[in-house]
Amino acid sequence: MKKFIVTTLALVFAAWLATLHPRVGLAFYDAVGALEARIYGFQKSSVDIGDMQLSVYARNSEQARKTIILLHGYTASKEIWLRFANRLNPEYRVVIPDLAGHGETGFFSGWSYRASSQAKRVAQLMDKLGIERATIIGNSMGGMIAANFAIMYPQRATSIVLFNPAGITPPQPSVTEAMFAAGESPFEIDSKQQFFDFYQLTMAKPPVVPDFVLRGMALRYSERKADYAQIAQDFRFHDQLDGRLNQISTPTLIVWGNQDNILSPSAAPVWHQGIKDSQLHIFDGIGHMPMVEVPNESAQRVQAFLAE
């Protein structure tokens, strides 16, 4: 018995020591994401769209009659949508790609990361999966891509939902937008502390994440710093929506958190007024990622919109 207790304590201590290394936290984060996907019924696949292989989560069901495609934001990945997606009605087929330059799709310096290029890849993904029309839902950069998709492929967008979308010059810049204007980027991480500061900017009500996992995520950001810088140059300075919102004729829901420190909530009325007959929903006390901070409420609002 004594030997068993000693062995158990040694294993617990060894496990605790292992958490001190960021790569353990990173492996844990990836494993939890993969486990969540399986629990929620999502299958992972690699879809060849010609110039790249997109890593994709997809869930289908016997009741599925319509398709929803979920697009993550800059420096994020498909995993951020899982809890929101799990709350969507089974009548929807749900597809969640890792966009070019992100997640398991990977980065290549020769690819374009402009919103129009990413929108074209969404259309190619739909072709490969046999999807004629879909609701496109995007957050941040993903919202900018969804808006460009609606302009480029109006016949293929049943509707669009934009969570805190990028692409418009706000009347009042956010903390992050002011940093960009000064030539700084909180997304380009060199240290653990920089990532912790950045993480606090992203959400007003972030989910609980262990410290060792956050350190692992910080390591991933630092290793991809140069990649993220190139992606930002492409999508931040091309295909902006200022002066083009009136070209969107697709039914549109705009969702924003009024505590967003990444993209200013002052842009929400600009989107709403610019897109004819659009709907606007503001979450009080929520930051840049409502679908992560309040996934249940976000899914309910989206489904009410789609039901109309």
Side-chain angles (χ1 to χ4, degrees), residues 7 17 47 63 74 87 91 96 99 101 139 147-149 179 219 230 239 241 244 246 289 301:
T7 302
L17 285 177
V47 181
Q63 306 104 299
Y74 172 52
R87 290 162 170 82
E91 69 175 308
I96 320 174
L99 297 168
N139 169 240
N148 274 273
F149 184 96
M179 292 178 68
L219 176 64
Q230 180 177 331
D239 305 322
L241 281 304
R244 296 200 298 140
N246 61 357
M289 294 191 283
R301 184 63 190 88

Side-chain angles (χ1 to χ4, degrees), residues 253-268:
L253 170 65
I254 302 146
V255 181
W256 224 293
N258 70 351
Q259 298 299 311
D260 189 351
N261 287 314
I262 302 295
L263 295 173
S264 174
S266 68

